[in-house]
Amino acid sequence: MADDGVQATADTAMARARAAQEAWAARSVASRVRKLKAAGEAILGGAETLAEILVEETGKPLGEAYAGDIVGVGDLFTYWCGHGATHLGPRKARIPALDMPGKKGRVEREPVGVVAVISPWNYPVALPMRVMVPALLAGNAVVFKPSEITPRCGVWLAERLQEHLGEVVQVLEGDGAMGAALVEAGADLIHFTGSTATGAKVAARGAALGIPVEMELGGKDPAIVLDDAMLDRTARGIAWGVVHNAGQDCASIERVLVHADVADRFLPLLVEAMNATADQVPELVTARQKAIVVAQIEDAIAQGGRVLCGGLPEGDAPVGPTLFTDLPRDAAMWREESFGPVAVVEVCADDEALLEAANDCTYGLGASVWSGDVPRACALGKRVRSGMLWINNHAFTGAVPDLPWVGRGGSGHGITSSPEALLHLTRPRVVVLDKAKAPEPWWYPYGPSLEGLMRAVVTRQRSGGLMATLSTLRALMARNKTLSGR
Ligand code: NDP
């Protein structure tokens, strides 16, 4: 439980967001688009400053700060400001004309209210923006809690949004206690991105408070290399998948599963590609994270694992690109999320063995299959328990706003990006207009004419056809006679 001061701060932000939300939602979608476009231009206009803050707070290489965080934000605004109105538009409902005459229905999408956005430090710009832009477009307010490790990125973004959107965006600085206070503050939806352990706490509290929680959690993605893969491209792609952002990516490759028939030729290429990244991998963002990765490496060595490249860093050196093989499946590096530039390699006899290895995991975020035979790769990949399947690539789709980012199992069930994300960022409002003048056939008085009509309807549902429709019409006329007292 957060202390009173922290809780009061979270409650005040929630109250401000709630007070501003109604007027924001009352604007037309076009008006919200105009405001968001202006905020997007301000963010991209300040890209140099934002990139500097990102590099200072996370130690990412500048190119990666742009590629992993900033460029995708430009695409986000273009996508949602261009297509959002279509996705938010009403859906015409099909109401059976014969049984329920004179009625028209539609399903509109309403904002849920205030969305609490709790974000981690690994992509401190891209991750919260992927939630906040569609949430705001849909007419919600947001209260945003960035990680204590990257507060300046969070505040800078929130300030740009506030300049154009006002109090409908609130930001809360602080550590995990502030996150917990935000959970207590009574949002209408919590969108949590972070570790599986913290996500479980947030989900439990959300359930107790009756607040839905979208959870985007950790991962331990497999990359499956089939015997007909393009070996050179696959080696370079997997090396990137393991090492980018120093492996601090929920969908980084942490298990490389290689078909035995190609292992001798593929593994030297993979080691070469991993070693080529060595001078580009920054230090892990926190000492705590480094301690977790180093402990996994020590455990792998103790369990008899064979180092293919990298290994235990010397002294204060950063963790370098590292591959272990011949590891028992109960080793920490096999089972637990590493969140560092390290991966396990396992050579498997055939496709079924590759599949078994891929599915021997509690997480289920992404998976990739690398092969020259796309139908074979798809057939195998769809049997892997994951939310996302990439053929001959890995993870880059986080930057594509039209594709949902989604997991299963220990990776959470949340959806970020795409029209599918609007299903939880909004709620359906059913609107039905009735032009019927007569009493409805299912109203009182009950009796044989109602029973006859219902039987005719069921017969029509079962067999269809002209005769059944005519029978229904006859039963309907008899029913109307009863209702009108004639
Ligand atoms: P944490 O779970 O430690 O933190 C995530 C956020 O929750 C931070 O803002 C944190 O604040 C806050 N928080 C901490 N304690 C609580 C609490 N009790 N109640 C509410 N909020 C709290 O994750 P990390 O920051 O270490 O991020 C790394 C994890 O995120 C990895 O497991 C990674 O896989 C996952 N992740 C998942 C993604 C996905 O889309 N599936 C994407 C990116 C990362 P503070 O940092 O200030 O303590």
Side-chain angles (χ1 to χ4, degrees):
M1 202 41 130
D3 73 32
D4 289 352
V6 171
Q7 191 60 58
T9 305
D11 290 346
T12 303
M14 183 59 64
R16 286 198 179 129
R18 199 167 285 292
Q21 190 263 332
E22 200 177 329
W24 175 246
R27 285 173 177 271
S28 65
V29 180
S31 152
R32 296 201 293 267
V33 163
R34 277 195 295 280
K35 296 264 176 196
L36 276 164
K37 262 189 181 164
E41 277 159 24
I43 289 169
L44 289 184
E48 289 292 323
T49 309
L50 182 57
E52 244 171 60
I53 301 174
L54 254 168
V55 170
E56 279 169 26
E57 287 195 321
T58 65
K60 288 177 200 240
L62 183 64
E64 203 157 67
Y66 269 101
D69 271 285
I70 295 173
V71 169
V73 170
D75 288 339
L76 263 183
F77 280 100
T78 306
Y79 176 82
W80 286 110
C81 293
H83 306 289
T86 310
H87 298 316
L88 286 166
R91 176 173 75 75
K92 200 172 151 198
R94 294 189 182 90
I95 299 181
L98 188 59
D99 313 348
M100 300 172 183
K103 291 151 191 51
K104 277 189 185 156
R106 62 174 187 270
V107 183
E108 299 174 350
R109 306 245 35 121
E110 287 186 346
V112 292
V114 183
V115 180
V117 179
I118 303 177
S119 259
W121 43 264
N122 59 332
Y123 293 103
V125 173
L127 292 176
M129 292 303 281
R130 276 180 215 164
V131 184
M132 290 198 289
V133 172
L136 289 162
L137 179 77
N140 297 291
V142 298
V143 182
F144 168 35
K145 152 70 179 85
S147 169
E148 64 185 313
I149 295 157
T150 51
R152 287 170 57 215
C153 281
V155 169
W156 190 92
L157 286 172
E159 283 173 356
R160 300 294 80 71
L161 288 166
Q162 284 164 341
E163 279 162 16
H164 296 275
L165 279 66
E167 295 248 299
V168 81
V169 176
Q170 298 289 321
V171 62
L172 288 172
E173 290 184 72
D175 58 14
M178 185 57 88
L182 176 54
V183 170
E184 298 295 324
D188 298 289
L189 171 75
I190 298 168
H191 191 111
F192 175 84
T193 309
S195 63
T196 301
T198 310
K201 284 189 219 161
V202 171
R205 203 54 205 136
L209 295 165
I211 303 172
V213 181
E214 283 286 306
M215 291 198 293
E216 300 276 7
L217 309 177
K220 189 123 194 106
D221 284 11
I224 299 174
V225 183
L226 298 185
D227 52 358
D228 57 0
M230 288 180 285
L231 296 188
D232 190 49
R233 177 184 154 84
T234 302
R236 293 183 67 169
I238 290 182
W240 179 84
V242 175
V243 174
H244 71 281
N245 210 29
Q248 300 161 123
D249 187 316
C250 50
S252 63
I253 295 171
E254 299 206 352
R255 295 175 297 144
V256 185
L257 310 172
V258 186
H259 196 292
D261 289 354
V262 82
D264 285 351
R265 284 186 292 140
F266 176 68
L267 290 179
L269 293 173
L270 179 60
V271 167
E272 189 186 331
M274 290 284 289
N275 285 334
T277 68
D279 60 346
Q280 315 210 9
V281 187
E283 181 58 284
L284 295 171
V285 170
T286 63
R288 190 171 145 261
Q289 189 53 42
K290 186 172 181 180
I292 292 170
V293 179
V294 167
Q296 286 196 359
I297 294 175
E298 286 168 346
D299 173 69
I301 293 168
Q303 301 235 30
R306 187 158 57 88
V307 178
L308 292 176
C309 61
L312 204 57
E314 280 178 24
D316 288 339
V319 178
T322 294
L323 293 175
F324 271 88
T325 191
D326 299 338
L327 263 186
R329 295 260 182 103
D330 59 357
M333 201 182 278
W334 231 108
R335 291 262 146 246
E336 291 158 24
E337 187 177 42
S338 303
F339 228 53
V342 304
V344 173
V345 173
E346 187 167 304
V347 176
C348 302
D350 54 25
D351 288 16
E352 289 304 313
L354 287 161
L355 182 68
E356 184 278 326
N359 281 335
D360 187 12
C361 185
T362 55
Y363 291 102
L365 195 55
S368 56
V369 182
W370 302 73
S371 166
D373 181 345
V374 170
R376 175 187 172 199
C378 281
L380 188 73
K382 284 188 193 172
R383 294 168 66 202
V384 177
R385 280 193 303 274
S386 72
M388 295 170 288
L389 168 65
W390 302 286
I391 307 296
N392 293 322
N393 217 316
H394 202 98
F396 72 99
T397 55
V400 180
D402 200 33
L403 285 173
W405 189 260
V406 58
R408 59 197 279 188
S411 294
H413 51 261
I415 298 177
T416 306
S417 293
S418 81
E420 283 79 5
L422 294 176
L423 294 177
H424 66 260
L425 292 171
T426 60
R427 70 176 134 246
R429 159 81 70 188
V430 173
V431 180
V432 173
L433 313 173
D434 197 339
K435 287 192 177 155
K437 302 259 186 310
E440 298 295 355
W442 58 87
W443 290 357
Y444 292 108
Y446 293 171
S449 65
L450 176 64
E451 291 152 21
L453 173 61
M454 291 301 123
R455 286 199 181 99
V457 169
V458 170
T459 304
R460 197 186 84 236
Q461 286 169 338
R462 289 178 60 203
S463 60
L466 185 62
M467 294 311 290
T469 303
L470 287 175
S471 296
T472 309
L473 277 172
R474 270 197 300 275
L476 196 56
M477 281 160 63
R479 178 65 181 150
N480 283 340
K481 250 184 179 179
T482 307
L483 288 168
S484 63
R486 281 183 281 129

